[in-house]
């Protein structure tokens, strides 16, 4: 197996001791970023998958060429355990992680990394599969509030400005949830005045909508499928607002599928079963909405399928492709084609292009290359690659964050995969957290120790702003 050659990185799976939970986050400011170029379009990134809910960045005036050594580091902050992506609104960034025996929300200045406030609470979660014991669910910002769900199902609503607790729920206790394969992991969705959560209680409810202001339960939906690791996705379909929830976690036999829900009242339009046939499987890849079509996928046997939602809000299968099964990285649609990573990985994680209309595979590749690392015996070449990577279209190009800490600029089209530039941000596995790009700044989570450069787990902020043209 090719990945065995990355044995130098295996020791990075050993967790470093982290600071006490009541200590401030250790941040290092390196250099200010360039000014935002005149005329640039910028956005907040308030939740998992960003403001468009599909990992597509709509910002402009970004770098199209990395400087020598890769994009410039603006600041870094040591982080604890977990795979949650940060959320950004205005000048505030929320980092959700586990420090010691407490899950913690840190509000940092998005430009400098300086701490504004911290909120933490105890946790005893232990991962049964040996992965991180920190949160999987990413926080969501809605208005002046922040919402976060920990690995043990503790849901908190905090004031964004002060970190003061507004309301809370213990989802595991209130809904009698059984421990999933990797704890509670679906990220919440803010939809208007509702916070929508894939709870997955046995016998129902599957999805719960809470009032964002009070925490009161507004409606319950679904009764047959358990919680997944995919975040609910909102969409306007046939002129009507809907929420798509891809459900299905630990169950035997494995069950799950797509729910289409009217957020105004919790009415379920349809339930479409879609799940791999292995007990040790989950639905973790969020739905991809393209007009009135929805793509869902999993990597444990069923693969991917494209559904057309009719005017009567019923699903019609357009195609199914068992060889296009995304794991936890969502596919991205561009110009009539879907791009995503097929396979459980890392050895069988292939970058694939599929025609949206037919589901026909256009091309498949597994980007790999060698990196030179210094060892006590001298320089050594080790093979590595992008593997289970995240894809982000941004300003006419593609950013690709590989699972071993590589950042690529690339061109993806029906003609193939064309790498343009590559930077090795850090030599650490488990780079499974999607990148965040807001106001020209790229935020990347290093979730495991880098044994080559001896860096701990960190949140890193890079300058991706284009250089402002010099006036003549």
């Amino acid at each position: 197996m090719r990945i065995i050659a990355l044995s130098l990185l295996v020791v990075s799976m050993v967790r470093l001791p982290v600071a006490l939970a009541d200590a401030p986050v250790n941040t290092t400011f390196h250099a200010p970023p360039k000014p935002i170029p005149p005329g640039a379009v910028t956005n907040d990134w308030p939740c998992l998958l960003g403001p468009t809910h599909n990992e597509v960045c709509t910002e402009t005036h970004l770098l199209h060429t990395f400087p020598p050594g890769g994009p410039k580091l603006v600041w870094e902050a040591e982080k604890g355990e977990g795979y949650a992506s940060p959320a950004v609104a205005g000048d505030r960034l929320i980092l959700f992680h586990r420090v010691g025996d407490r899950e913690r929300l840190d509000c940092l200045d998005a430009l400098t990394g300086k701490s504004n406030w911290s909120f933490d609470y105890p946790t005893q979660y232990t991962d049964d599969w040996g992965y991180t014991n920190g949160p999987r669910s990413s926080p969501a910002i809605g208005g002046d509030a922040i919402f976060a769900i920990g690995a043990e199902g503790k849901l908190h609503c905090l004031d964004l400005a002060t970190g003061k607790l507004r309301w809370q729920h213990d989802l595991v206790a209130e809904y009698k949830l059984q421990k999933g394969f990797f704890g509670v992991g679906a990220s919440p969705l803010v939809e208007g005045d509702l916070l929508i959560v894939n709870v997955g209680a046995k016998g129902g409810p599957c999805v719960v909508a809470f009032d964002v202001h009070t925490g009161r339960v507004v409606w319950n939906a679904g009764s047959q499928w358990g919680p997944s690791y995919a975040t609910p996705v909102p969409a306007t379909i046939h002129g009507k607002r809907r929420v798509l929830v891809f459900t299905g976690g630990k169950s035997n036999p494995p069950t799950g599928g797509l729910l289409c829900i009217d957020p105004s009242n919790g009415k379920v339009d349809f339930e479409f079963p879609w799940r791999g046939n292995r007990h040790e499987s989950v639905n973790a890849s969020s739905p991809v909405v393209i007009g009135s079509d929805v793509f869902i996928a999993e990597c444990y046997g069923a693969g991917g399928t494209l559904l057309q939602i009719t005017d009567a809000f019923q699903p019609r299968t357009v195609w199914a492709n068992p060889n296009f099964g995304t794991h936890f990285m969502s596919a991205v649609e561009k110009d009539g084609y879907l791009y995503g990573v097929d396979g459980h990985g890392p050895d069988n994680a292939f970058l694939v292009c599929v025609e949206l209309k037919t589901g026909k595979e256009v091309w498949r590749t597994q980007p790999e290359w060698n990196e030179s690392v210094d060892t006590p015996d001298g320089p050594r070449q080790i093979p590595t690659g992008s593997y289970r990577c995240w894809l982000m279209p941004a300003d006419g190009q593609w950013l690709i964050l590989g699972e071993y800490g590589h950042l690529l600029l690339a061109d993806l089209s029906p003609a193939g995969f064309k790498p343009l530039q590559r930077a090795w941000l850090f030599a650490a596995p488990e780079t499974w957290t999607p990148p965040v790009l807001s106001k020209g700044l790229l935020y990347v989570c290093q979730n495991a120790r880098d044994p080559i450069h001896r860096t701990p787990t960190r949140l890193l902020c890079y300058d991706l702003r284009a250089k402002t043209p010099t006036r003549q």
Side-chain angles (χ1 to χ4, degrees):
M1 295 174 64
R2 289 179 292 272
I3 208 68
I4 292 177
L6 290 170
S7 57
L8 284 176
L9 302 182
V10 171
V11 292
S12 65
M13 298 292 287
V14 178
R15 311 294 172 190
L16 286 180
V18 292
L20 296 176
D22 57 356
V25 171
N26 183 14
T27 62
T28 302
F29 183 78
H30 292 277
K34 296 181 291 295
I36 296 175
V41 175
T42 63
N43 296 107
D44 290 337
W45 197 280
C47 59
L48 184 73
L49 304 180
T52 55
H53 302 281
N54 58 8
E55 199 62 17
V56 174
C57 174
T58 58
E59 299 205 357
T60 62
H61 294 66
L62 301 175
L63 279 182
H64 282 240
T65 303
F66 291 156
K72 298 301 182 183
L73 185 60
V74 178
W75 58 264
E76 61 182 291
E78 289 193 20
K79 67 183 281 289
E81 295 184 84
Y83 301 125
S85 66
V88 182
D91 61 355
R92 293 180 179 263
L93 177 146
I94 301 299
L95 171 63
F96 187 30
H97 55 152
R98 175 173 175 167
V99 182
D101 61 356
R102 305 185 75 81
E103 286 185 323
R104 172 168 168 165
L105 288 147
D106 280 288
C107 179
L108 308 178
D109 185 283
L111 189 65
T112 67
K114 181 180 178 181
S115 177
N116 291 309
W117 54 257
S118 294
F119 175 90
D120 62 76
Y121 55 91
T123 180
Q124 297 180 334
Y125 176 78
T126 301
D127 189 75
D128 293 337
W129 296 74
Y131 294 106
T132 178
N133 295 321
R136 279 90 168 122
S137 172
S138 297
I141 297 173
D144 62 355
I146 179 75
F147 308 90
I149 305 174
E152 292 178 303
K154 302 294 178 60
L155 166 60
H156 291 90
C157 171
L158 308 179
D159 183 273
L160 179 60
T162 65
K164 182 179 179 180
L165 177 66
R166 292 185 175 177
W167 53 264
Q168 60 184 319
H169 282 280
D170 186 334
L171 301 179
V172 170
E174 294 173 27
Y175 294 96
K176 298 180 175 57
L177 305 182
Q178 297 182 347
K179 185 178 181 181
F181 287 117
F182 308 106
V184 177
S187 300
L189 167 69
V190 178
E191 172 66 11
D193 289 331
L194 300 177
L195 183 75
I196 297 175
V197 179
N198 177 201
V199 170
K202 187 175 181 179
C206 180
V207 181
V208 177
F210 300 94
D211 184 291
V212 295
H213 305 291
T214 66
R216 176 182 63 88
V217 174
V218 178
W219 51 254
N220 297 316
S223 62
Q224 63 171 318
W225 293 330
S228 71
Y229 292 87
T231 187
V233 171
T236 300
I237 301 173
H238 302 306
K240 297 179 180 180
R241 198 66 173 168
R242 289 296 186 266
V243 171
L244 289 306
V245 187
F246 192 34
T247 70
K250 189 175 184 179
S251 61
N252 196 7
T255 59
L258 182 68
L259 299 179
C260 180
I261 302 173
D262 182 344
S264 69
N265 54 23
K267 178 181 178 295
V268 177
D269 296 313
F270 66 79
E271 300 174 337
F272 182 85
W274 195 261
R275 181 72 186 274
N277 55 14
R278 286 173 49 184
H279 168 57
E280 296 86 359
S281 69
V282 295
N283 287 342
S285 184
S286 299
V288 181
V289 182
I290 313 104
S292 60
D293 294 338
V294 180
F295 174 74
I296 54 174
E298 62 77 58
C299 70
Y300 294 91
T305 184
L306 185 72
L307 305 176
Q308 181 187 68
I309 299 180
T310 68
D311 293 345
F313 283 91
Q314 293 300 305
R316 184 183 73 83
T317 301
V318 180
W319 52 259
N321 185 339
N323 298 315
F324 189 46
T326 53
H327 191 0
F328 49 81
M329 311 77 61
S330 294
V332 177
E333 185 273 338
K334 183 173 173 54
D335 298 333
Y337 293 86
L338 283 167
Y339 301 88
V341 178
D342 168 60
H344 187 271
D347 235 16
N348 67 336
F350 292 88
L351 188 58
V352 179
C353 171
V354 166
E355 186 180 40
L356 178 65
K357 183 171 62 175
T358 64
K360 178 182 177 181
E361 184 174 304
V362 180
W363 53 257
R364 168 181 297 255
T365 185
Q366 183 158 273
E368 293 180 308
W369 55 86
N370 288 332
E371 292 282 3
S372 179
V373 299
D374 293 327
T375 72
D377 299 323
R380 178 181 170 186
Q381 295 288 315
I382 60 170
T384 183
S386 56
Y387 305 118
R388 289 171 290 188
C389 59
W390 281 94
L391 308 177
M392 179 192 288
D395 198 21
Q397 61 194 347
W398 291 75
L399 291 170
I400 300 177
L401 180 64
E403 72 169 297
Y404 287 92
H406 295 90
L407 182 67
L408 284 73
L409 280 175
D411 177 36
L412 300 183
S413 72
F417 162 72
K418 181 181 179 181
L420 303 175
Q421 275 192 284
R422 184 179 73 242
W424 205 6
L425 306 180
F426 45 81
E430 298 186 25
T431 309
W432 299 328
T433 301
V436 166
L437 209 166
S438 177
K439 302 172 187 68
L441 301 180
L442 181 74
Y443 302 94
V444 176
C445 288
Q446 178 186 331
N447 296 324
R449 179 177 177 265
D450 178 343
I452 296 175
H453 305 103
R454 302 184 182 278
T455 56
T457 51
R458 300 174 292 167
L459 171 64
L460 303 112
C461 171
Y462 293 94
D463 182 8
L464 253 61
R465 296 172 179 174
K467 185 177 180 180
T468 302
T470 303
R471 292 183 178 180
Q472 300 295 324

